[in-house]
Amino acid sequence: MDTQGLPDSVKVLQRILSEGFATGNTGIVDELFSPDLMEHQFGMEDRGPGALAHVKEAIRQVHEAMPDLSYDMDDWATRGNTAWVRFTGKGTNTGPFFGPPSGKHVELTVIDVAVVVDGRVTEHWGVPDRFSLLQQTGVLKRLRPAPDPG
């Protein structure tokens, strides 16, 4: 997607996914997140150094699970310093993801909401469709109990 003409806050979110999560580059966190980041994403809730560490670990894990992952920006909106962006991610599960790799192609929706001040994310809510990933990679099937033969 051509980023020319996009608000800076939307460009920041796009870079985090395309230059961070898609490539495994955790250095993007130091560049584009405030040292006082307030992270609200489920499982990553924290503030400051802890929040930054959680985001870096998420980048490592996602890239390890799907090293060919790429993102397309589908929609965006802004109000003041807050940006809402919807992405579609596509890749292949060739690394560990709640068990061994499935080798399956996956598509997922990611919705990010962030407050961006002076080019840095100060507060973030991320909503990746984890349930869809669990279904597509076969994790849910593995977790389902076997039918009762009786």
Side-chain angles (χ1 to χ4, degrees), residues 8-30:
D8 288 343
S9 56
V10 172
K11 289 179 186 177
V12 165
L13 291 175
Q14 190 272 334
R15 286 189 62 205
I16 291 166
L17 278 120
S18 66
E19 296 177 33
F21 282 88
T23 68
N25 174 16
T26 60
I28 201 81
V29 174
D30 297 326

Side-chain angles (χ1 to χ4, degrees), residues 66-103:
M66 294 164 282
D68 66 343
L69 188 62
S70 64
Y71 294 94
D72 291 316
M73 188 180 336
D74 300 314
D75 294 305
W76 61 267
T78 61
R79 184 177 66 205
N81 290 335
T82 304
W84 291 261
V85 182
R86 181 173 59 90
F87 297 94
T88 298
K90 297 176 184 178
T92 311
N93 176 222
T94 57
F97 180 72
F98 293 97
S102 68

Side-chain angles (χ1 to χ4, degrees), residues 11-75:
K11 289 179 186 177
V12 165
L13 291 175
Q14 190 272 334
R15 286 189 62 205
I16 291 166
L17 278 120
S18 66
E19 296 177 33
F21 282 88
T23 68
N25 174 16
T26 60
I28 201 81
V29 174
D30 297 326
E31 179 184 347
L32 297 179
F33 286 85
S34 166
D36 297 322
L37 171 68
M38 288 180 57
E39 178 59 64
H40 300 282
Q41 183 166 314
F42 178 79
M44 297 172 47
E45 303 92 338
D46 210 336
R47 183 180 190 125
L52 298 172
H54 289 312
V55 175
K56 287 178 181 181
E57 183 58 23
I59 288 172
R60 280 191 286 277
Q61 288 176 352
V62 167
H63 186 68
E64 182 182 21
M66 294 164 282
D68 66 343
L69 188 62
S70 64
Y71 294 94
D72 291 316
M73 188 180 336
D74 300 314
D75 294 305

Side-chain angles (χ1 to χ4, degrees), residues 98-143:
F98 293 97
S102 68
K104 294 183 178 185
H105 177 78
V106 297
E107 289 189 20
L108 73 144
T109 298
V110 177
I111 296 174
D112 279 311
V113 179
V115 178
V116 180
V117 178
D118 296 328
R120 291 179 154 231
V121 176
T122 60
E123 194 164 5
H124 175 258
W125 297 260
V127 189
D129 189 353
R130 292 182 178 118
F131 188 81
S132 173
L133 276 179
L134 294 171
Q135 176 66 31
Q136 292 176 71
T137 56
V139 172
L140 291 181
K141 192 173 189 175
R142 286 197 322 263
L143 296 175

